[in-house]
Amino acid sequence: MSNEAARQAADALKLRLSEIVGSRQVLTEAADTQPYLHDWRGRYHGQALCVVRPGTTAEVAAVVAACAQAGAGGIAMVPQGGNTGLVGGGVPCNAEADSADLADPLASAGRPQVVISLQRLQRIRAIDTANHTLTAEAGCTLQQVQEAAAEAGLLFPLAIASQGTATIGGNLSTNAGGVQVLRYGNMRELTLGLEVVLADGRIWDGLRGLRKDNTGYDLKQLFIGAEGTLGLITAAVLKLHPRPRAQLTAWLALPDPQVAVELLGRLRQHFGERVSAFEIINRAALELVFKHVPDTHSPLSRIHDWQLLLQLDASSAAEGATLADDLSELLVAEQAAGRLLDAVLAQSETQAAALWKLRESISEAQKKEGFSIKHDVSLPISRLHEFIEQTDARLTSRYPGVRIVCFGHLGDGNLHYNPSQPLAEDNRAFIAATAEVNRLVHDLVHALGGSISAEHGLGQLKREEILRYKSPLEIELMRNIKTALDPRGLMNPGKLLSNSDVAR
Amino acid sequence: MSNEAARQAADALKLRLSEIVGSRQVLTEAADTQPYLHDWRGRYHGQALCVVRPGTTAEVAAVVAACAQAGAGGIAMVPQGGNTGLVGGGVPCNAEADSADLADPLASAGRPQVVISLQRLQRIRAIDTANHTLTAEAGCTLQQVQEAAAEAGLLFPLAIASQGTATIGGNLSTNAGGVQVLRYGNMRELTLGLEVVLADGRIWDGLRGLRKDNTGYDLKQLFIGAEGTLGLITAAVLKLHPRPRAQLTAWLALPDPQVAVELLGRLRQHFGERVSAFEIINRAALELVFKHVPDTHSPLSRIHDWQLLLQLDASSAAEGATLADDLSELLVAEQAAGRLLDAVLAQSETQAAALWKLRESISEAQKKEGFSIKHDVSLPISRLHEFIEQTDARLTSRYPGVRIVCFGHLGDGNLHYNPSQPLAEDNRAFIAATAEVNRLVHDLVHALGGSISAEHGLGQLKREEILRYKSPLEIELMRNIKTALDPRGLMNPGKLLSNSDVAR
């Protein structure tokens, strides 16, 4: 198609989109579209013909159909929720484009793209308390869903730092994790049904609220975690849980991660699913918090190499009291056995909140400190200690003085492992070493049976990196699935799968 | 291909299979193959060129490759585990054949098939207690896995009546459920990784033991519940749980299922995940047990219209005692409010076992009573009462005197709803009404947002019936997935998807 023909097709599409959603919901001016074209950390920038903001599933379907039918081979679409992702999955990827041409997507070699923002789909469609389910549209924020569940006396347990902005559609498309996975599972385990607009604009209604349904392939599983590359999720039936009536929060100091893993086993044996959070924080992470975040203080007399934030849930205040006694007893035994260096139990909600603030301030503190090379990895819990020991040793030997901030959801085998340059040094050399550091860390993760993306997804960031670790057969299977559901490669191109892996 | 050419291809394949697994593991004599060619209830019979029994994943891969390369278009394969299925999913389906020709599969219009029995793949490959995982081969029985977990001090919570014979591969391929789904989920939720031999004989190694892994499409989800139509599962990494240290079992009589659903909500609020079983049993079901099963007695002074078997798990004996007090208190309040008619708490393991025996004897009692039209349905828990009321009313009006045995996993919304003919009548008329009764029951299930197969799968039994309830779009998506993974339709033909839905 000539540039002129492409321009005409683009104009015709914008007109058609305006007919569907109204011209106010088709953004074309740079001032309006900019927030949708780069990610919040400012690492990814893309170009789009326009940003379209449908308000209902029917409008989404019409928008997708219009894009699929536009031009010669359809116009690609980028679904976007709260745009809080960390891997560039929610903004256009014009990777094929010459960077000089990025200002004009049509002039570039890359295919033109339309951003479809789901933020206006923000209805809670239903709450069924007897069934313990809630049906939410994709644009609801996670917090909105948490609050709706709470109003019904129930709990939607997914919890992540960006929950005030992140949407359910994004949570589903990235199979979001967070701090309570240990007890309640990832977004996948919290989802019973989906409504999806397919790549050709047809609507698949899979909005079932059933715990058991064995009637063929479980199609919803394909769309969860697919980062918008197979279709566009517009609504979901989510599982709710009983609300815990009391919580016990403790801060522990341990000699090393191996002891922490063993402690987790004993805690689960003792308290079962009531262990709802088990977060590990190393010395460097905690020191950065105290350095950069006001009103933070060490809960113990000193900072140790490894600390744990532990939470137990109880169904009643009375049970909470029993749990506190049991936990104290267990911790005394651990301390006597030399496996616990120090510990404090929060005596009030304020104290518990102060402990959680330490955990939740790490990312902010790290940002203030400056550059670091971030990793979101998971391992079999039994290999965590080995991973930390080996990776620390190799990085320290290769980059003497390197500072390693290590924290995360130990109960799920999920570590955020972020090295920064030695204090005395300029960070330019370390920035230049990013690829080398990634390689070293990810190779060790892989050798120990782990994953290079535990909860953030692949997006643009790791779509090439993953090719080193997944077998060609697995990539081929993924490509076959992509082709089966989106044969023309219109959905979120350049994400999750390498461009060279997508049928054009 | 002429009959003669087909016969030559079949002989060549049998020779090749003997080279791979040894001639003793290729069964061709009727006396040897019969147990593999019909299901245990004797409802489905099929024909096969031979039954092959590989002993390792490598042998499975070579067997599948040989079948895929045999003849002109490959020879179809039927994966089989313990052959305990209820929908004919594990035996050959020669639906295309003229029934007169069934004795000779090659002479029939149907494609020849080979049964691949996985029973010799019965190694527990690994137990990782710190990671709470167990890696088992597909031919391990469920009971073998339960015992291996117990020896390691942990629990594999899936529990079904056929666990001494049913295999892990079959449990995975049917996404098995059972009595503890309420607490621990279906087989899908208990699985972290899979090893699968694909339709062309290549091995996909997805044996990961990770709680968080967002690196592309979650391929294992496709094979779980696919009834062997997409590939052949050879091993799995399964999740283990802490073992409960004490259990509380109670038998309750309630006025109706609606009150039972409300009670479940209060119990979950009070006891959280410790509610591990919540089974409903109606009067007709219990009466049949007392009539046909020796050594069974009513735990209460009389039989009520609706009884519940409730189980709570505790992490310690001390906690068990507290739970018993709390439960007694709650039940006294329920009784005072008129919501509970009578109740008894098991005072010993023997008493608890006697209560469970009543629940577990229902199928046996029903078999002894004679013919019944069985349904394995699920509903949103909030619609269960409505379903039972409406279906009872319509059946009773259409078939006066019909006896309805209704029991199941109320906590999961899963009912086994089995009408039998009126006592005074010959059962031939009722047998002839099977299709009509199925239609009535399934139409109501569908109208209330339920599923016509909660835990047994589609197999041969419901592959046509499901076409009435799933949208053509959903069937199309399933067919696209089938084509993407098994383009020549070699894996378990005639199961799950209607023959007319499979690419030939």
Side-chain angles (χ1 to χ4, degrees), chain B residues 164-190:
Chain B
T165 312
T167 62
I168 289 300
N171 297 156
L172 287 160
S173 292
T174 57
N175 184 26
V179 292
Q180 299 204 87
V181 172
L182 176 62
R183 175 166 189 170
Y184 299 104
N186 295 288
M187 192 64 175
R188 188 182 297 282
E189 284 81 42
L190 297 170

PDB file of all heavy atoms in Angstrom, chain B residues 164-190:
ATOM      1  N   GLY B 164      -7.432 -45.623  43.758  1.00  0.00           N
ATOM      2  CA  GLY B 164      -6.524 -46.767  43.748  1.00  0.00           C
ATOM      3  C   GLY B 164      -6.167 -47.215  42.338  1.00  0.00           C
ATOM      4  O   GLY B 164      -5.167 -47.901  42.125  1.00  0.00           O
ATOM      5  N   THR B 165      -6.972 -46.841  41.358  1.00  0.00           N
ATOM      6  CA  THR B 165      -6.764 -47.257  39.970  1.00  0.00           C
ATOM      7  C   THR B 165      -6.513 -46.069  39.045  1.00  0.00           C
ATOM      8  O   THR B 165      -5.685 -46.132  38.138  1.00  0.00           O
ATOM      9  CB  THR B 165      -8.015 -48.018  39.460  1.00  0.00           C
ATOM     10  OG1 THR B 165      -8.392 -48.993  40.433  1.00  0.00           O
ATOM     11  CG2 THR B 165      -7.735 -48.698  38.135  1.00  0.00           C
ATOM     12  N   ALA B 166      -7.239 -44.989  39.269  1.00  0.00           N
ATOM     13  CA  ALA B 166      -7.110 -43.808  38.410  1.00  0.00           C
ATOM     14  C   ALA B 166      -5.679 -43.298  38.444  1.00  0.00           C
ATOM     15  O   ALA B 166      -5.026 -43.317  39.491  1.00  0.00           O
ATOM     16  CB  ALA B 166      -8.064 -42.715  38.877  1.00  0.00           C
ATOM     17  N   THR B 167      -5.178 -42.847  37.297  1.00  0.00           N
ATOM     18  CA  THR B 167      -3.792 -42.374  37.243  1.00  0.00           C
ATOM     19  C   THR B 167      -3.718 -40.848  37.185  1.00  0.00           C
ATOM     20  O   THR B 167      -4.678 -40.174  36.832  1.00  0.00           O
ATOM     21  CB  THR B 167      -3.088 -42.921  35.985  1.00  0.00           C
ATOM     22  OG1 THR B 167      -3.767 -42.416  34.835  1.00  0.00           O
ATOM     23  CG2 THR B 167      -3.081 -44.434  35.960  1.00  0.00           C
ATOM     24  N   ILE B 168      -2.535 -40.363  37.510  1.00  0.00           N
ATOM     25  CA  ILE B 168      -2.279 -38.924  37.485  1.00  0.00           C
ATOM     26  C   ILE B 168      -2.506 -38.367  36.074  1.00  0.00           C
ATOM     27  O   ILE B 168      -3.072 -37.284  35.903  1.00  0.00           O
ATOM     28  CB  ILE B 168      -0.840 -38.659  37.972  1.00  0.00           C
ATOM     29  CG1 ILE B 168      -0.735 -38.938  39.474  1.00  0.00           C
ATOM     30  CG2 ILE B 168      -0.387 -37.245  37.657  1.00  0.00           C
ATOM     31  CD1 ILE B 168      -1.649 -38.089  40.342  1.00  0.00           C
ATOM     32  N   GLY B 169      -2.088 -39.117  35.060  1.00  0.00           N
ATOM     33  CA  GLY B 169      -2.299 -38.660  33.680  1.00  0.00           C
ATOM     34  C   GLY B 169      -3.778 -38.486  33.377  1.00  0.00           C
ATOM     35  O   GLY B 169      -4.192 -37.493  32.765  1.00  0.00           O
ATOM     36  N   GLY B 170      -4.576 -39.436  33.835  1.00  0.00           N
ATOM     37  CA  GLY B 170      -6.023 -39.329  33.650  1.00  0.00           C
ATOM     38  C   GLY B 170      -6.606 -38.198  34.471  1.00  0.00           C
ATOM     39  O   GLY B 170      -7.456 -37.431  34.006  1.00  0.00           O
ATOM     40  N   ASN B 171      -6.137 -38.050  35.710  1.00  0.00           N
ATOM     41  CA  ASN B 171      -6.595 -36.944  36.558  1.00  0.00           C
ATOM     42  C   ASN B 171      -6.321 -35.599  35.896  1.00  0.00           C
ATOM     43  O   ASN B 171      -7.146 -34.680  35.943  1.00  0.00           O
ATOM     44  CB  ASN B 171      -5.878 -36.962  37.916  1.00  0.00           C
ATOM     45  CG  ASN B 171      -6.153 -38.200  38.760  1.00  0.00           C
ATOM     46  OD1 ASN B 171      -5.362 -38.555  39.608  1.00  0.00           O
ATOM     47  ND2 ASN B 171      -7.275 -38.860  38.519  1.00  0.00           N
ATOM     48  N   LEU B 172      -5.139 -35.492  35.270  1.00  0.00           N
ATOM     49  CA  LEU B 172      -4.780 -34.237  34.597  1.00  0.00           C
ATOM     50  C   LEU B 172      -5.627 -34.028  33.349  1.00  0.00           C
ATOM     51  O   LEU B 172      -6.133 -32.932  33.097  1.00  0.00           O
ATOM     52  CB  LEU B 172      -3.299 -34.258  34.218  1.00  0.00           C
ATOM     53  CG  LEU B 172      -2.319 -34.090  35.381  1.00  0.00           C
ATOM     54  CD1 LEU B 172      -0.942 -34.615  34.994  1.00  0.00           C
ATOM     55  CD2 LEU B 172      -2.229 -32.634  35.806  1.00  0.00           C
ATOM     56  N   SER B 173      -5.789 -35.091  32.569  1.00  0.00           N
ATOM     57  CA  SER B 173      -6.490 -34.952  31.295  1.00  0.00           C
ATOM     58  C   SER B 173      -7.970 -34.678  31.482  1.00  0.00           C
ATOM     59  O   SER B 173      -8.628 -34.161  30.581  1.00  0.00           O
ATOM     60  CB  SER B 173      -6.295 -36.222  30.460  1.00  0.00           C
ATOM     61  OG  SER B 173      -4.930 -36.311  30.068  1.00  0.00           O
ATOM     62  N   THR B 174      -8.502 -35.037  32.660  1.00  0.00           N
ATOM     63  CA  THR B 174      -9.908 -34.738  32.932  1.00  0.00           C
ATOM     64  C   THR B 174     -10.062 -33.615  33.944  1.00  0.00           C
ATOM     65  O   THR B 174     -11.181 -33.306  34.345  1.00  0.00           O
ATOM     66  CB  THR B 174     -10.617 -35.986  33.497  1.00  0.00           C
ATOM     67  OG1 THR B 174      -9.920 -36.403  34.683  1.00  0.00           O
ATOM     68  CG2 THR B 174     -10.610 -37.129  32.490  1.00  0.00           C
ATOM     69  N   ASN B 175      -8.955 -33.000  34.367  1.00  0.00           N
ATOM     70  CA  ASN B 175      -9.019 -31.968  35.404  1.00  0.00           C
ATOM     71  C   ASN B 175      -9.895 -32.440  36.566  1.00  0.00           C
ATOM     72  O   ASN B 175     -10.906 -31.806  36.915  1.00  0.00           O
ATOM     73  CB  ASN B 175      -9.551 -30.660  34.818  1.00  0.00           C
ATOM     74  CG  ASN B 175      -9.539 -29.517  35.827  1.00  0.00           C
ATOM     75  OD1 ASN B 175      -8.736 -29.505  36.767  1.00  0.00           O
ATOM     76  ND2 ASN B 175     -10.437 -28.563  35.655  1.00  0.00           N
ATOM     77  N   ALA B 176      -9.496 -33.563  37.167  1.00  0.00           N
ATOM     78  CA  ALA B 176     -10.322 -34.225  38.179  1.00  0.00           C
ATOM     79  C   ALA B 176     -10.638 -33.311  39.364  1.00  0.00           C
ATOM     80  O   ALA B 176      -9.875 -32.401  39.694  1.00  0.00           O
ATOM     81  CB  ALA B 176      -9.607 -35.493  38.654  1.00  0.00           C
ATOM     82  N   GLY B 177     -11.766 -33.570  39.993  1.00  0.00           N
ATOM     83  CA  GLY B 177     -12.238 -32.738  41.095  1.00  0.00           C
ATOM     84  C   GLY B 177     -12.273 -33.506  42.399  1.00  0.00           C
ATOM     85  O   GLY B 177     -11.263 -33.722  43.031  1.00  0.00           O
ATOM     86  N   GLY B 178     -13.463 -33.937  42.807  1.00  0.00           N
ATOM     87  CA  GLY B 178     -13.576 -34.716  44.035  1.00  0.00           C
ATOM     88  C   GLY B 178     -14.026 -33.890  45.211  1.00  0.00           C
ATOM     89  O   GLY B 178     -14.557 -32.790  45.050  1.00  0.00           O
ATOM     90  N   VAL B 179     -13.757 -34.423  46.416  1.00  0.00           N
ATOM     91  CA  VAL B 179     -14.418 -33.860  47.598  1.00  0.00           C
ATOM     92  C   VAL B 179     -13.712 -32.664  48.232  1.00  0.00           C
ATOM     93  O   VAL B 179     -14.302 -31.974  49.044  1.00  0.00           O
ATOM     94  CB  VAL B 179     -14.616 -34.938  48.693  1.00  0.00           C
ATOM     95  CG1 VAL B 179     -15.637 -35.965  48.244  1.00  0.00           C
ATOM     96  CG2 VAL B 179     -13.316 -35.592  49.074  1.00  0.00           C
ATOM     97  N   GLN B 180     -12.461 -32.403  47.898  1.00  0.00           N
ATOM     98  CA  GLN B 180     -11.771 -31.316  48.618  1.00  0.00           C
ATOM     99  C   GLN B 180     -11.487 -30.091  47.741  1.00  0.00           C
ATOM    100  O   GLN B 180     -10.628 -29.278  48.067  1.00  0.00           O
ATOM    101  CB  GLN B 180     -10.464 -31.847  49.227  1.00  0.00           C
ATOM    102  CG  GLN B 180     -10.703 -32.957  50.233  1.00  0.00           C
ATOM    103  CD  GLN B 180      -9.570 -33.080  51.237  1.00  0.00           C
ATOM    104  OE1 GLN B 180      -9.563 -32.415  52.266  1.00  0.00           O
ATOM    105  NE2 GLN B 180      -8.613 -33.908  50.927  1.00  0.00           N
ATOM    106  N   VAL B 181     -12.214 -29.998  46.631  1.00  0.00           N
ATOM    107  CA  VAL B 181     -11.997 -28.876  45.713  1.00  0.00           C
ATOM    108  C   VAL B 181     -12.263 -27.539  46.404  1.00  0.00           C
ATOM    109  O   VAL B 181     -11.562 -26.557  46.196  1.00  0.00           O
ATOM    110  CB  VAL B 181     -12.885 -29.032  44.463  1.00  0.00           C
ATOM    111  CG1 VAL B 181     -12.830 -27.786  43.598  1.00  0.00           C
ATOM    112  CG2 VAL B 181     -12.454 -30.257  43.669  1.00  0.00           C
ATOM    113  N   LEU B 182     -13.273 -27.540  47.262  1.00  0.00           N
ATOM    114  CA  LEU B 182     -13.638 -26.338  48.015  1.00  0.00           C
ATOM    115  C   LEU B 182     -12.420 -25.685  48.650  1.00  0.00           C
ATOM    116  O   LEU B 182     -12.259 -24.468  48.633  1.00  0.00           O
ATOM    117  CB  LEU B 182     -14.638 -26.775  49.098  1.00  0.00           C
ATOM    118  CG  LEU B 182     -15.129 -25.754  50.100  1.00  0.00           C
ATOM    119  CD1 LEU B 182     -15.880 -24.629  49.408  1.00  0.00           C
ATOM    120  CD2 LEU B 182     -16.049 -26.424  51.127  1.00  0.00           C
ATOM    121  N   ARG B 183     -11.562 -26.523  49.216  1.00  0.00           N
ATOM    122  CA  ARG B 183     -10.383 -25.969  49.890  1.00  0.00           C
ATOM    123  C   ARG B 183      -9.172 -25.863  48.970  1.00  0.00           C
ATOM    124  O   ARG B 183      -8.449 -24.870  49.005  1.00  0.00           O
ATOM    125  CB  ARG B 183     -10.015 -26.845  51.087  1.00  0.00           C
ATOM    126  CG  ARG B 183      -8.730 -26.379  51.754  1.00  0.00           C
ATOM    127  CD  ARG B 183      -8.497 -26.970  53.102  1.00  0.00           C
ATOM    128  NE  ARG B 183      -7.363 -26.307  53.744  1.00  0.00           N
ATOM    129  CZ  ARG B 183      -7.001 -26.457  54.991  1.00  0.00           C
ATOM    130  NH1 ARG B 183      -7.710 -27.247  55.760  1.00  0.00           N
ATOM    131  NH2 ARG B 183      -5.969 -25.825  55.473  1.00  0.00           N
ATOM    132  N   TYR B 184      -8.921 -26.906  48.168  1.00  0.00           N
ATOM    133  CA  TYR B 184      -7.627 -26.997  47.472  1.00  0.00           C
ATOM    134  C   TYR B 184      -7.705 -26.809  45.958  1.00  0.00           C
ATOM    135  O   TYR B 184      -6.683 -26.745  45.294  1.00  0.00           O
ATOM    136  CB  TYR B 184      -6.976 -28.349  47.769  1.00  0.00           C
ATOM    137  CG  TYR B 184      -6.679 -28.592  49.235  1.00  0.00           C
ATOM    138  CD1 TYR B 184      -7.473 -29.438  50.006  1.00  0.00           C
ATOM    139  CD2 TYR B 184      -5.600 -27.972  49.846  1.00  0.00           C
ATOM    140  CE1 TYR B 184      -7.188 -29.660  51.350  1.00  0.00           C
ATOM    141  CE2 TYR B 184      -5.309 -28.188  51.179  1.00  0.00           C
ATOM    142  CZ  TYR B 184      -6.111 -29.041  51.937  1.00  0.00           C
ATOM    143  OH  TYR B 184      -5.826 -29.256  53.263  1.00  0.00           O
ATOM    144  N   GLY B 185      -8.913 -26.763  45.401  1.00  0.00           N
ATOM    145  CA  GLY B 185      -9.037 -26.596  43.955  1.00  0.00           C
ATOM    146  C   GLY B 185      -9.038 -27.915  43.210  1.00  0.00           C
ATOM    147  O   GLY B 185      -8.837 -28.985  43.791  1.00  0.00           O
ATOM    148  N   ASN B 186      -9.293 -27.840  41.904  1.00  0.00           N
ATOM    149  CA  ASN B 186      -9.265 -28.999  41.022  1.00  0.00           C
ATOM    150  C   ASN B 186      -7.818 -29.368  40.698  1.00  0.00           C
ATOM    151  O   ASN B 186      -6.882 -28.691  41.101  1.00  0.00           O
ATOM    152  CB  ASN B 186      -9.989 -28.673  39.711  1.00  0.00           C
ATOM    153  CG  ASN B 186     -11.462 -28.418  39.913  1.00  0.00           C
ATOM    154  OD1 ASN B 186     -12.233 -29.328  40.178  1.00  0.00           O
ATOM    155  ND2 ASN B 186     -11.864 -27.147  39.807  1.00  0.00           N
ATOM    156  N   MET B 187      -7.664 -30.435  39.930  1.00  0.00           N
ATOM    157  CA  MET B 187      -6.327 -30.874  39.511  1.00  0.00           C
ATOM    158  C   MET B 187      -5.559 -29.711  38.869  1.00  0.00           C
ATOM    159  O   MET B 187      -4.354 -29.589  39.047  1.00  0.00           O
ATOM    160  CB  MET B 187      -6.471 -32.040  38.529  1.00  0.00           C
ATOM    161  CG  MET B 187      -5.185 -32.777  38.250  1.00  0.00           C
ATOM    162  SD  MET B 187      -4.499 -33.597  39.727  1.00  0.00           S
ATOM    163  CE  MET B 187      -3.108 -34.463  39.018  1.00  0.00           C
ATOM    164  N   ARG B 188      -6.260 -28.867  38.107  1.00  0.00           N
ATOM    165  CA  ARG B 188      -5.603 -27.734  37.456  1.00  0.00           C
ATOM    166  C   ARG B 188      -4.875 -26.856  38.463  1.00  0.00           C
ATOM    167  O   ARG B 188      -3.737 -26.450  38.239  1.00  0.00           O
ATOM    168  CB  ARG B 188      -6.650 -26.904  36.705  1.00  0.00           C
ATOM    169  CG  ARG B 188      -6.100 -25.799  35.834  1.00  0.00           C
ATOM    170  CD  ARG B 188      -7.212 -24.999  35.163  1.00  0.00           C
ATOM    171  NE  ARG B 188      -8.034 -25.759  34.262  1.00  0.00           N
ATOM    172  CZ  ARG B 188      -7.695 -26.110  33.025  1.00  0.00           C
ATOM    173  NH1 ARG B 188      -6.534 -25.737  32.535  1.00  0.00           N
ATOM    174  NH2 ARG B 188      -8.501 -26.819  32.278  1.00  0.00           N
ATOM    175  N   GLU B 189      -5.545 -26.568  39.575  1.00  0.00           N
ATOM    176  CA  GLU B 189      -4.945 -25.691  40.592  1.00  0.00           C
ATOM    177  C   GLU B 189      -3.824 -26.395  41.358  1.00  0.00           C
ATOM    178  O   GLU B 189      -3.073 -25.757  42.089  1.00  0.00           O
ATOM    179  CB  GLU B 189      -6.009 -25.212  41.581  1.00  0.00           C
ATOM    180  CG  GLU B 189      -6.921 -24.123  41.042  1.00  0.00           C
ATOM    181  CD  GLU B 189      -8.031 -24.667  40.180  1.00  0.00           C
ATOM    182  OE1 GLU B 189      -8.619 -25.702  40.531  1.00  0.00           O
ATOM    183  OE2 GLU B 189      -8.306 -24.059  39.113  1.00  0.00           O
ATOM    184  N   LEU B 190      -3.740 -27.707  41.217  1.00  0.00           N
ATOM    185  CA  LEU B 190      -2.718 -28.464  41.947  1.00  0.00           C
ATOM    186  C   LEU B 190      -1.504 -28.774  41.074  1.00  0.00           C
ATOM    187  O   LEU B 190      -0.629 -29.527  41.471  1.00  0.00           O
ATOM    188  CB  LEU B 190      -3.330 -29.769  42.481  1.00  0.00           C
ATOM    189  CG  LEU B 190      -4.459 -29.582  43.507  1.00  0.00           C
ATOM    190  CD1 LEU B 190      -5.152 -30.911  43.791  1.00  0.00           C
ATOM    191  CD2 LEU B 190      -3.905 -29.004  44.808  1.00  0.00           C
TER     192      LEU B 190
END
